[in-house]
């Protein structure tokens, strides 16, 4: 199984630049991150330090988020945020540059919350425009934009796989083919989606899989989701990519489940 450790939610007891090495020490060869900087366009020295941390750890940066605003304050992306278009588009070049330096191919673009200052129609129109721009920007390095349904944030409009796939269809109509579904089994399950049906219909086209158990968003085996079965079926149906570990657990216990079957 090719797992990748999300170092923005795991190993957070450590400074950010120490987490890739900790993931390597735990036996993993790949990591992924939410946007690890406070701004859409960070200083060169900040980018260099992040890139060095990945390279020095000897791990692959398998995935990186686009800048999503102030996540701790509740922001969930700029893709549909009317008024911050220039900020998102400036971020595309930075994301692509980091991806080129580290061989990263998957880039998660959080859609953004609904805003009282804009209509849903205006936000959705902008979202397609921004996703197309992002797709074209990272196509130059062979990259894929990921679009993700999210739970726990009522203002975030993409709740189900169908919601995200409808947006992806619009990007295809606009002429790009490298925007794919990020199938986070935790978010889909919490939102009441039919995860087995999503897998049966779309697994071969998943851009990425992420997992956490429910309830609690904990490690596999701490809840009730049949994660092992869902992953195995996705593989049978053609998914060949990484499985992102995006759950909450103390560093000392984060990977103890890996010594037993995931479907336990």
């Amino acid at each position: 199984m090719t797992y990748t450790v999300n170092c923005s939610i795991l190993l957070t007891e450590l400074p950010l630049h120490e987490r890739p090495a900790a993931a390597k020490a735990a036996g993993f060869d790949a990591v992924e991150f939410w946007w690890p900087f406070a701004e859409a366009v960070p200083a060169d020295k900040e980018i260099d330090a992040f890139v060095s941390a990945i390279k020095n750890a000897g791990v692959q940066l398998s995935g990186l988020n686009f800048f999503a605003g102030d996540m701790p304050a509740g922001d969930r992306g700029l893709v549909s945020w009317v008024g911050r278009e220039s900020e998102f588009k400036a971020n595309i070049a930075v994301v692509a540059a980091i991806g080129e330096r580290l061989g990263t191919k998957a880039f998660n673009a959080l859609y953004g919350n609904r805003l009282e200052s804009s209509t849903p129609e205006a936000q959705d129109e902008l979202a397609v425009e921004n996703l197309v721009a992002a797709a074209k920007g990272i196509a130059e390095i062979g990259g894929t934009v990921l679009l993700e349904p999210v739970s726990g944030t009522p203002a975030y409009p993409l709740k189900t796989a169908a919601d995200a796939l409808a947006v992806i269809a619009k990007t295809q109509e606009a002429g790009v083919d490298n925007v794919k579904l990020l199938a986070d089994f935790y978010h889909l399950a919490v939102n009441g989606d039919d995860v087995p049906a999503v897998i049966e219909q779309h697994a071969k086209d998943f851009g990425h899989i992420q997992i956490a158990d429910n309830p609690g968003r904990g490690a596999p085996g701490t809840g009730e989701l049949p994660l092992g079965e869902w992953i195995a079926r996705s593989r049978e149906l053609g998914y060949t990519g990484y499985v992102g570990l995006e759950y909450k657990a103390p560093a000392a216990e984060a990977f103890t489940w890996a010594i037993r079957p995931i479907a336990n």
Side-chain angles (χ1 to χ4, degrees):
M1 188 65 64
T2 307
Y3 294 114
T4 180
V5 179
N6 190 302
C7 290
S8 293
I9 194 170
L10 285 165
L11 304 173
T12 55
E13 297 91 337
L14 299 171
L16 186 141
H17 292 160
E18 295 180 16
R19 296 175 203 170
K24 180 69 172 181
F28 297 93
D29 293 321
V31 298
E32 60 186 23
F33 276 86
W34 302 339
W35 187 244
F37 311 104
E39 300 173 336
V41 182
D44 289 345
K45 64 180 181 180
E46 293 183 73
I47 296 173
D48 291 343
F50 176 72
V51 169
S52 294
I54 300 294
K55 289 184 174 180
N56 292 342
V59 293
Q60 173 64 49
L61 182 66
S62 60
L64 180 67
N65 283 23
F66 288 87
F67 178 58
D70 187 347
M71 293 273 285
D75 294 347
R76 290 295 182 270
L78 303 189
V79 167
S80 65
W81 195 322
V82 176
R84 299 185 73 173
E85 298 91 335
S86 61
E87 196 174 353
F88 180 79
K89 288 181 179 176
N91 182 238
I92 295 171
V94 183
V95 169
I98 294 172
E100 185 171 27
R101 292 175 68 178
L102 292 172
T104 309
K105 301 297 183 185
F107 304 94
N108 186 15
L110 289 174
Y111 195 81
N113 296 330
R114 287 301 192 212
L115 304 170
E116 293 184 0
S117 58
S118 303
T119 65
E121 293 78 12
Q123 286 194 261
D124 293 340
E125 181 178 353
L126 176 63
V128 173
E129 178 184 325
N130 278 336
L131 288 168
V132 169
K136 290 179 178 178
I138 64 163
E140 298 176 6
I141 61 167
T144 297
V145 174
L146 304 173
L147 190 62
E148 175 183 22
V150 170
S151 65
T153 305
Y156 190 91
L158 306 186
K159 308 293 190 188
T160 66
D163 293 336
L165 289 166
V167 177
I168 292 169
K170 293 179 181 178
T171 67
Q172 293 171 339
E173 292 170 3
V176 298
D177 62 1
N178 60 326
V179 182
K180 304 290 184 182
L181 175 67
L182 195 168
D184 185 311
F185 293 158
Y186 168 79
H187 287 311
L188 294 176
V190 168
N191 284 341
D193 211 346
D194 186 341
V195 179
V198 172
I199 291 169
E200 292 298 318
Q201 296 168 19
H202 303 291
K204 65 179 174 38
D205 298 317
F206 287 167
H208 187 40
I209 289 174
Q210 289 176 332
I211 61 170
D213 218 330
N214 187 55
R217 202 176 185 180
T222 61
E224 302 172 352
L225 300 183
L227 296 171
E229 296 174 21
W230 289 347
I231 293 169
R233 185 57 177 156
S234 297
R235 296 287 191 204
E236 290 173 1
L237 293 172
Y239 178 72
T240 60
Y242 287 100
V243 173
L245 305 180
E246 196 186 48
Y247 54 81
K248 300 175 182 178
E253 306 168 12
F255 309 117
T256 54
W257 63 268
I259 63 174
R260 57 186 174 79
I262 191 173
N264 227 20

mmCIF file of all heavy atoms in Angstrom, residues 188-233:
data_model
loop_
_atom_site.group_PDB
_atom_site.id
_atom_site.type_symbol
_atom_site.label_atom_id
_atom_site.label_comp_id
_atom_site.label_asym_id
_atom_site.label_seq_id
_atom_site.Cartn_x
_atom_site.Cartn_y
_atom_site.Cartn_z
ATOM 1 N N LEU A 188 -16.669 12.316 2.771
ATOM 2 C CA LEU A 188 -17.825 11.802 2.042
ATOM 3 C C LEU A 188 -18.766 11.051 2.979
ATOM 4 O O LEU A 188 -19.994 11.227 2.928
ATOM 5 C CB LEU A 188 -17.365 10.883 0.903
ATOM 6 C CG LEU A 188 -16.587 11.561 -0.227
ATOM 7 C CD1 LEU A 188 -16.107 10.521 -1.231
ATOM 8 C CD2 LEU A 188 -17.433 12.617 -0.932
ATOM 9 N N ALA A 189 -18.214 10.217 3.845
ATOM 10 C CA ALA A 189 -19.041 9.434 4.766
ATOM 11 C C ALA A 189 -19.773 10.330 5.754
ATOM 12 O O ALA A 189 -20.979 10.158 6.009
ATOM 13 C CB ALA A 189 -18.178 8.414 5.504
ATOM 14 N N VAL A 190 -19.067 11.300 6.323
ATOM 15 C CA VAL A 190 -19.682 12.207 7.297
ATOM 16 C C VAL A 190 -20.813 13.004 6.655
ATOM 17 O O VAL A 190 -21.838 13.281 7.294
ATOM 18 C CB VAL A 190 -18.620 13.150 7.896
ATOM 19 C CG1 VAL A 190 -19.261 14.289 8.680
ATOM 20 C CG2 VAL A 190 -17.685 12.368 8.809
ATOM 21 N N ASN A 191 -20.646 13.344 5.395
ATOM 22 C CA ASN A 191 -21.677 14.107 4.695
ATOM 23 C C ASN A 191 -22.826 13.247 4.180
ATOM 24 O O ASN A 191 -23.742 13.763 3.541
ATOM 25 C CB ASN A 191 -21.050 14.877 3.534
ATOM 26 C CG ASN A 191 -20.277 16.099 3.993
ATOM 27 O OD1 ASN A 191 -20.468 16.582 5.101
ATOM 28 N ND2 ASN A 191 -19.384 16.599 3.143
ATOM 29 N N GLY A 192 -22.773 11.947 4.441
ATOM 30 C CA GLY A 192 -23.870 11.072 4.058
ATOM 31 C C GLY A 192 -23.825 10.583 2.630
ATOM 32 O O GLY A 192 -24.823 10.039 2.130
ATOM 33 N N ASP A 193 -22.702 10.745 1.958
ATOM 34 C CA ASP A 193 -22.594 10.252 0.586
ATOM 35 C C ASP A 193 -22.542 8.728 0.590
ATOM 36 O O ASP A 193 -22.182 8.095 1.590
ATOM 37 C CB ASP A 193 -21.335 10.814 -0.079
ATOM 38 C CG ASP A 193 -21.497 11.000 -1.574
ATOM 39 O OD1 ASP A 193 -22.463 10.457 -2.147
ATOM 40 O OD2 ASP A 193 -20.652 11.685 -2.180
ATOM 41 N N ASP A 194 -22.890 8.133 -0.532
ATOM 42 C CA ASP A 194 -22.834 6.678 -0.698
ATOM 43 C C ASP A 194 -21.433 6.331 -1.190
ATOM 44 O O ASP A 194 -21.190 6.249 -2.390
ATOM 45 C CB ASP A 194 -23.899 6.240 -1.700
ATOM 46 C CG ASP A 194 -24.011 4.724 -1.824
ATOM 47 O OD1 ASP A 194 -23.063 4.013 -1.427
ATOM 48 O OD2 ASP A 194 -25.044 4.257 -2.330
ATOM 49 N N VAL A 195 -20.509 6.137 -0.264
ATOM 50 C CA VAL A 195 -19.106 5.947 -0.640
ATOM 51 C C VAL A 195 -18.906 4.717 -1.524
ATOM 52 O O VAL A 195 -18.193 4.800 -2.534
ATOM 53 C CB VAL A 195 -18.209 5.908 0.611
ATOM 54 C CG1 VAL A 195 -16.753 5.693 0.220
ATOM 55 C CG2 VAL A 195 -18.352 7.201 1.408
ATOM 56 N N PRO A 196 -19.497 3.562 -1.204
ATOM 57 C CA PRO A 196 -19.318 2.417 -2.108
ATOM 58 C C PRO A 196 -19.781 2.706 -3.532
ATOM 59 O O PRO A 196 -19.127 2.291 -4.498
ATOM 60 C CB PRO A 196 -20.163 1.319 -1.452
ATOM 61 C CG PRO A 196 -20.149 1.659 0.004
ATOM 62 C CD PRO A 196 -20.216 3.162 0.035
ATOM 63 N N ALA A 197 -20.883 3.438 -3.672
ATOM 64 C CA ALA A 197 -21.369 3.765 -5.019
ATOM 65 C C ALA A 197 -20.410 4.715 -5.724
ATOM 66 O O ALA A 197 -20.156 4.573 -6.936
ATOM 67 C CB ALA A 197 -22.759 4.387 -4.937
ATOM 68 N N VAL A 198 -19.875 5.676 -4.993
ATOM 69 C CA VAL A 198 -18.891 6.599 -5.583
ATOM 70 C C VAL A 198 -17.684 5.817 -6.080
ATOM 71 O O VAL A 198 -17.169 6.052 -7.179
ATOM 72 C CB VAL A 198 -18.464 7.663 -4.555
ATOM 73 C CG1 VAL A 198 -17.300 8.491 -5.095
ATOM 74 C CG2 VAL A 198 -19.637 8.564 -4.204
ATOM 75 N N ILE A 199 -17.240 4.863 -5.286
ATOM 76 C CA ILE A 199 -16.094 4.047 -5.674
ATOM 77 C C ILE A 199 -16.418 3.237 -6.929
ATOM 78 O O ILE A 199 -15.619 3.194 -7.880
ATOM 79 C CB ILE A 199 -15.688 3.122 -4.513
ATOM 80 C CG1 ILE A 199 -15.106 3.959 -3.365
ATOM 81 C CG2 ILE A 199 -14.676 2.068 -4.977
ATOM 82 C CD1 ILE A 199 -14.922 3.179 -2.079
ATOM 83 N N GLU A 200 -17.563 2.597 -6.953
ATOM 84 C CA GLU A 200 -17.932 1.768 -8.098
ATOM 85 C C GLU A 200 -17.987 2.581 -9.388
ATOM 86 O O GLU A 200 -17.584 2.114 -10.453
ATOM 87 C CB GLU A 200 -19.281 1.090 -7.846
ATOM 88 C CG GLU A 200 -19.285 0.039 -6.761
ATOM 89 C CD GLU A 200 -18.355 -1.132 -7.077
ATOM 90 O OE1 GLU A 200 -18.337 -1.593 -8.244
ATOM 91 O OE2 GLU A 200 -17.649 -1.588 -6.158
ATOM 92 N N GLN A 201 -18.473 3.791 -9.279
ATOM 93 C CA GLN A 201 -18.691 4.600 -10.476
ATOM 94 C C GLN A 201 -17.471 5.414 -10.905
ATOM 95 O O GLN A 201 -17.316 5.715 -12.093
ATOM 96 C CB GLN A 201 -19.870 5.548 -10.230
ATOM 97 C CG GLN A 201 -21.191 4.838 -9.999
ATOM 98 C CD GLN A 201 -22.278 5.758 -9.466
ATOM 99 O OE1 GLN A 201 -22.183 6.974 -9.580
ATOM 100 N NE2 GLN A 201 -23.302 5.178 -8.855
ATOM 101 N N HIS A 202 -16.591 5.745 -9.950
ATOM 102 C CA HIS A 202 -15.569 6.739 -10.275
ATOM 103 C C HIS A 202 -14.150 6.408 -9.848
ATOM 104 O O HIS A 202 -13.237 7.206 -10.104
ATOM 105 C CB HIS A 202 -15.959 8.086 -9.645
ATOM 106 C CG HIS A 202 -17.299 8.596 -10.061
ATOM 107 N ND1 HIS A 202 -17.574 9.046 -11.337
ATOM 108 C CD2 HIS A 202 -18.472 8.696 -9.372
ATOM 109 C CE1 HIS A 202 -18.840 9.415 -11.425
ATOM 110 N NE2 HIS A 202 -19.407 9.226 -10.244
ATOM 111 N N ALA A 203 -13.918 5.261 -9.224
ATOM 112 C CA ALA A 203 -12.592 4.993 -8.645
ATOM 113 C C ALA A 203 -11.464 5.124 -9.654
ATOM 114 O O ALA A 203 -10.401 5.671 -9.337
ATOM 115 C CB ALA A 203 -12.568 3.601 -8.010
ATOM 116 N N LYS A 204 -11.682 4.654 -10.851
ATOM 117 C CA LYS A 204 -10.595 4.693 -11.845
ATOM 118 C C LYS A 204 -10.219 6.116 -12.217
ATOM 119 O O LYS A 204 -9.117 6.358 -12.734
ATOM 120 C CB LYS A 204 -10.991 3.915 -13.105
ATOM 121 C CG LYS A 204 -12.150 4.484 -13.885
ATOM 122 C CD LYS A 204 -12.443 3.654 -15.125
ATOM 123 C CE LYS A 204 -13.675 4.083 -15.876
ATOM 124 N NZ LYS A 204 -13.955 5.498 -15.965
ATOM 125 N N ASP A 205 -11.108 7.058 -11.918
ATOM 126 C CA ASP A 205 -10.852 8.456 -12.270
ATOM 127 C C ASP A 205 -10.503 9.319 -11.056
ATOM 128 O O ASP A 205 -10.352 10.535 -11.198
ATOM 129 C CB ASP A 205 -12.078 9.054 -12.970
ATOM 130 C CG ASP A 205 -12.396 8.341 -14.273
ATOM 131 O OD1 ASP A 205 -11.444 8.049 -15.024
ATOM 132 O OD2 ASP A 205 -13.582 8.082 -14.538
ATOM 133 N N PHE A 206 -10.396 8.696 -9.862
ATOM 134 C CA PHE A 206 -10.008 9.483 -8.689
ATOM 135 C C PHE A 206 -8.654 10.145 -8.925
ATOM 136 O O PHE A 206 -7.716 9.512 -9.419
ATOM 137 C CB PHE A 206 -9.882 8.595 -7.448
ATOM 138 C CG PHE A 206 -11.175 8.100 -6.855
ATOM 139 C CD1 PHE A 206 -11.161 7.085 -5.902
ATOM 140 C CD2 PHE A 206 -12.399 8.636 -7.211
ATOM 141 C CE1 PHE A 206 -12.336 6.617 -5.333
ATOM 142 C CE2 PHE A 206 -13.586 8.171 -6.652
ATOM 143 C CZ PHE A 206 -13.551 7.152 -5.706
ATOM 144 N N GLY A 207 -8.539 11.400 -8.512
ATOM 145 C CA GLY A 207 -7.237 12.041 -8.554
ATOM 146 C C GLY A 207 -6.410 11.725 -7.331
ATOM 147 O O GLY A 207 -5.177 11.742 -7.379
ATOM 148 N N HIS A 208 -7.077 11.423 -6.222
ATOM 149 C CA HIS A 208 -6.394 11.129 -4.967
ATOM 150 C C HIS A 208 -7.420 10.559 -4.000
ATOM 151 O O HIS A 208 -8.620 10.819 -4.127
ATOM 152 C CB HIS A 208 -5.776 12.405 -4.393
ATOM 153 C CG HIS A 208 -4.897 12.203 -3.191
ATOM 154 N ND1 HIS A 208 -4.022 11.156 -3.065
ATOM 155 C CD2 HIS A 208 -4.764 12.928 -2.035
ATOM 156 C CE1 HIS A 208 -3.376 11.250 -1.914
ATOM 157 N NE2 HIS A 208 -3.823 12.314 -1.271
ATOM 158 N N ILE A 209 -6.954 9.778 -3.036
ATOM 159 C CA ILE A 209 -7.768 9.284 -1.932
ATOM 160 C C ILE A 209 -7.139 9.760 -0.634
ATOM 161 O O ILE A 209 -5.920 9.738 -0.474
ATOM 162 C CB ILE A 209 -7.849 7.739 -1.931
ATOM 163 C CG1 ILE A 209 -8.697 7.238 -3.099
ATOM 164 C CG2 ILE A 209 -8.415 7.222 -0.612
ATOM 165 C CD1 ILE A 209 -8.689 5.720 -3.246
ATOM 166 N N GLN A 210 -7.983 10.204 0.289
ATOM 167 C CA GLN A 210 -7.550 10.461 1.658
ATOM 168 C C GLN A 210 -8.457 9.705 2.616
ATOM 169 O O GLN A 210 -9.630 9.454 2.294
ATOM 170 C CB GLN A 210 -7.582 11.968 1.971
ATOM 171 C CG GLN A 210 -6.504 12.761 1.257
ATOM 172 C CD GLN A 210 -6.602 14.252 1.488
ATOM 173 O OE1 GLN A 210 -7.680 14.790 1.728
ATOM 174 N NE2 GLN A 210 -5.480 14.946 1.392
ATOM 175 N N ILE A 211 -7.914 9.377 3.791
ATOM 176 C CA ILE A 211 -8.699 8.589 4.740
ATOM 177 C C ILE A 211 -8.565 9.119 6.165
ATOM 178 O O ILE A 211 -7.543 9.685 6.553
ATOM 179 C CB ILE A 211 -8.310 7.097 4.729
ATOM 180 C CG1 ILE A 211 -6.835 6.913 5.117
ATOM 181 C CG2 ILE A 211 -8.620 6.468 3.375
ATOM 182 C CD1 ILE A 211 -6.454 5.451 5.364
ATOM 183 N N ALA A 212 -9.626 8.912 6.918
ATOM 184 C CA ALA A 212 -9.676 9.026 8.373
ATOM 185 C C ALA A 212 -10.899 8.218 8.786
ATOM 186 O O ALA A 212 -11.815 8.009 7.978
ATOM 187 C CB ALA A 212 -9.815 10.471 8.827
ATOM 188 N N ASP A 213 -10.910 7.743 10.017
ATOM 189 C CA ASP A 213 -12.051 6.951 10.476
ATOM 190 C C ASP A 213 -13.104 7.861 11.094
ATOM 191 O O ASP A 213 -12.843 9.018 11.426
ATOM 192 C CB ASP A 213 -11.596 5.880 11.473
ATOM 193 C CG ASP A 213 -12.361 4.578 11.296
ATOM 194 O OD1 ASP A 213 -13.539 4.616 10.869
ATOM 195 O OD2 ASP A 213 -11.790 3.509 11.598
ATOM 196 N N ASN A 214 -14.298 7.324 11.241
ATOM 197 C CA ASN A 214 -15.416 8.062 11.814
ATOM 198 C C ASN A 214 -16.212 7.152 12.746
ATOM 199 O O ASN A 214 -16.427 5.989 12.407
ATOM 200 C CB ASN A 214 -16.328 8.591 10.700
ATOM 201 C CG ASN A 214 -17.417 9.504 11.217
ATOM 202 O OD1 ASN A 214 -17.136 10.489 11.886
ATOM 203 N ND2 ASN A 214 -18.666 9.182 10.937
ATOM 204 N N PRO A 215 -16.604 7.653 13.915
ATOM 205 C CA PRO A 215 -16.510 9.044 14.378
ATOM 206 C C PRO A 215 -15.116 9.409 14.890
ATOM 207 O O PRO A 215 -14.319 8.539 15.222
ATOM 208 C CB PRO A 215 -17.525 9.088 15.529
ATOM 209 C CG PRO A 215 -17.557 7.687 16.040
ATOM 210 C CD PRO A 215 -17.388 6.805 14.836
ATOM 211 N N GLY A 216 -14.850 10.720 14.904
ATOM 212 C CA GLY A 216 -13.651 11.230 15.534
ATOM 213 C C GLY A 216 -12.543 11.694 14.620
ATOM 214 O O GLY A 216 -11.593 12.315 15.059
ATOM 215 N N ARG A 217 -12.607 11.361 13.348
ATOM 216 C CA ARG A 217 -11.527 11.663 12.404
ATOM 217 C C ARG A 217 -10.187 11.114 12.901
ATOM 218 O O ARG A 217 -9.151 11.766 12.815
ATOM 219 C CB ARG A 217 -11.422 13.158 12.118
ATOM 220 C CG ARG A 217 -10.695 13.434 10.782
ATOM 221 C CD ARG A 217 -10.652 14.893 10.411
ATOM 222 N NE ARG A 217 -10.050 15.048 9.083
ATOM 223 C CZ ARG A 217 -9.862 16.208 8.459
ATOM 224 N NH1 ARG A 217 -10.218 17.340 9.045
ATOM 225 N NH2 ARG A 217 -9.315 16.243 7.264
ATOM 226 N N GLY A 218 -10.242 9.914 13.452
ATOM 227 C CA GLY A 218 -9.042 9.288 13.969
ATOM 228 C C GLY A 218 -8.408 8.328 12.984
ATOM 229 O O GLY A 218 -8.794 8.239 11.809
ATOM 230 N N ALA A 219 -7.417 7.598 13.469
ATOM 231 C CA ALA A 219 -6.680 6.647 12.646
ATOM 232 C C ALA A 219 -7.572 5.494 12.207
ATOM 233 O O ALA A 219 -8.591 5.195 12.851
ATOM 234 C CB ALA A 219 -5.489 6.112 13.428
ATOM 235 N N PRO A 220 -7.215 4.824 11.131
ATOM 236 C CA PRO A 220 -7.971 3.643 10.709
ATOM 237 C C PRO A 220 -8.094 2.641 11.854
ATOM 238 O O PRO A 220 -7.122 2.378 12.572
ATOM 239 C CB PRO A 220 -7.122 3.081 9.563
ATOM 240 C CG PRO A 220 -6.418 4.272 9.017
ATOM 241 C CD PRO A 220 -6.108 5.128 10.214
ATOM 242 N N GLY A 221 -9.308 2.105 12.022
ATOM 243 C CA GLY A 221 -9.536 1.138 13.087
ATOM 244 C C GLY A 221 -10.080 1.730 14.364
ATOM 245 O O GLY A 221 -10.503 0.996 15.253
ATOM 246 N N THR A 222 -10.086 3.072 14.467
ATOM 247 C CA THR A 222 -10.611 3.710 15.672
ATOM 248 C C THR A 222 -12.098 3.996 15.568
ATOM 249 O O THR A 222 -12.716 4.374 16.563
ATOM 250 C CB THR A 222 -9.866 5.023 15.971
ATOM 251 O OG1 THR A 222 -10.051 5.926 14.861
ATOM 252 C CG2 THR A 222 -8.375 4.774 16.172
ATOM 253 N N GLY A 223 -12.648 3.833 14.391
ATOM 254 C CA GLY A 223 -14.060 4.106 14.173
ATOM 255 C C GLY A 223 -14.742 2.945 13.475
ATOM 256 O O GLY A 223 -14.350 1.793 13.632
ATOM 257 N N GLU A 224 -15.721 3.277 12.650
ATOM 258 C CA GLU A 224 -16.590 2.254 12.066
ATOM 259 C C GLU A 224 -16.511 2.164 10.546
ATOM 260 O O GLU A 224 -17.185 1.316 9.951
ATOM 261 C CB GLU A 224 -18.041 2.545 12.476
ATOM 262 C CG GLU A 224 -18.249 2.591 13.990
ATOM 263 C CD GLU A 224 -19.638 3.059 14.366
ATOM 264 O OE1 GLU A 224 -20.384 3.484 13.451
ATOM 265 O OE2 GLU A 224 -19.979 3.007 15.559
ATOM 266 N N LEU A 225 -15.708 2.988 9.898
ATOM 267 C CA LEU A 225 -15.681 2.977 8.440
ATOM 268 C C LEU A 225 -14.861 1.796 7.916
ATOM 269 O O LEU A 225 -13.776 1.527 8.425
ATOM 270 C CB LEU A 225 -15.088 4.285 7.898
ATOM 271 C CG LEU A 225 -15.817 5.570 8.260
ATOM 272 C CD1 LEU A 225 -15.144 6.765 7.593
ATOM 273 C CD2 LEU A 225 -17.295 5.512 7.857
ATOM 274 N N PRO A 226 -15.345 1.110 6.888
ATOM 275 C CA PRO A 226 -14.603 -0.010 6.289
ATOM 276 C C PRO A 226 -13.525 0.480 5.327
ATOM 277 O O PRO A 226 -13.551 0.196 4.124
ATOM 278 C CB PRO A 226 -15.694 -0.802 5.571
ATOM 279 C CG PRO A 226 -16.680 0.238 5.146
ATOM 280 C CD PRO A 226 -16.684 1.267 6.262
ATOM 281 N N LEU A 227 -12.570 1.222 5.848
ATOM 282 C CA LEU A 227 -11.583 1.884 4.996
ATOM 283 C C LEU A 227 -10.777 0.896 4.170
ATOM 284 O O LEU A 227 -10.468 1.149 3.000
ATOM 285 C CB LEU A 227 -10.659 2.753 5.854
ATOM 286 C CG LEU A 227 -11.339 3.918 6.569
ATOM 287 C CD1 LEU A 227 -10.382 4.571 7.562
ATOM 288 C CD2 LEU A 227 -11.844 4.954 5.567
ATOM 289 N N GLY A 228 -10.398 -0.211 4.783
ATOM 290 C CA GLY A 228 -9.627 -1.208 4.049
ATOM 291 C C GLY A 228 -10.376 -1.745 2.846
ATOM 292 O O GLY A 228 -9.809 -1.899 1.756
ATOM 293 N N GLU A 229 -11.652 -2.015 3.036
ATOM 294 C CA GLU A 229 -12.470 -2.519 1.930
ATOM 295 C C GLU A 229 -12.603 -1.461 0.836
ATOM 296 O O GLU A 229 -12.525 -1.781 -0.360
ATOM 297 C CB GLU A 229 -13.857 -2.897 2.453
ATOM 298 C CG GLU A 229 -13.846 -4.042 3.465
ATOM 299 C CD GLU A 229 -15.218 -4.278 4.059
ATOM 300 O OE1 GLU A 229 -16.223 -3.864 3.438
ATOM 301 O OE2 GLU A 229 -15.287 -4.864 5.161
ATOM 302 N N TRP A 230 -12.811 -0.229 1.236
ATOM 303 C CA TRP A 230 -12.985 0.838 0.240
ATOM 304 C C TRP A 230 -11.702 1.060 -0.554
ATOM 305 O O TRP A 230 -11.750 1.264 -1.766
ATOM 306 C CB TRP A 230 -13.410 2.130 0.937
ATOM 307 C CG TRP A 230 -14.812 2.100 1.458
ATOM 308 C CD1 TRP A 230 -15.779 1.172 1.168
ATOM 309 C CD2 TRP A 230 -15.419 3.036 2.352
ATOM 310 N NE1 TRP A 230 -16.954 1.481 1.827
ATOM 311 C CE2 TRP A 230 -16.760 2.619 2.562
ATOM 312 C CE3 TRP A 230 -14.960 4.189 2.997
ATOM 313 C CZ2 TRP A 230 -17.643 3.325 3.389
ATOM 314 C CZ3 TRP A 230 -15.845 4.896 3.817
ATOM 315 C CH2 TRP A 230 -17.162 4.462 4.008
ATOM 316 N N ILE A 231 -10.575 1.021 0.126
ATOM 317 C CA ILE A 231 -9.310 1.191 -0.588
ATOM 318 C C ILE A 231 -9.069 0.022 -1.539
ATOM 319 O O ILE A 231 -8.699 0.212 -2.705
ATOM 320 C CB ILE A 231 -8.135 1.323 0.405
ATOM 321 C CG1 ILE A 231 -8.259 2.629 1.194
ATOM 322 C CG2 ILE A 231 -6.801 1.270 -0.325
ATOM 323 C CD1 ILE A 231 -7.309 2.718 2.370
ATOM 324 N N ALA A 232 -9.291 -1.199 -1.037
ATOM 325 C CA ALA A 232 -9.057 -2.383 -1.865
ATOM 326 C C ALA A 232 -9.936 -2.362 -3.115
ATOM 327 O O ALA A 232 -9.473 -2.677 -4.220
ATOM 328 C CB ALA A 232 -9.313 -3.646 -1.049
ATOM 329 N N ARG A 233 -11.196 -1.982 -2.941
ATOM 330 C CA ARG A 233 -12.102 -1.944 -4.095
ATOM 331 C C ARG A 233 -11.683 -0.857 -5.078
ATOM 332 O O ARG A 233 -11.741 -1.055 -6.303
ATOM 333 C CB ARG A 233 -13.537 -1.706 -3.622
ATOM 334 C CG ARG A 233 -14.573 -1.773 -4.750
ATOM 335 C CD ARG A 233 -14.533 -3.093 -5.469
ATOM 336 N NE ARG A 233 -15.556 -3.188 -6.507
ATOM 337 C CZ ARG A 233 -15.474 -3.984 -7.557
ATOM 338 N NH1 ARG A 233 -14.412 -4.783 -7.721
ATOM 339 N NH2 ARG A 233 -16.448 -4.023 -8.444
#
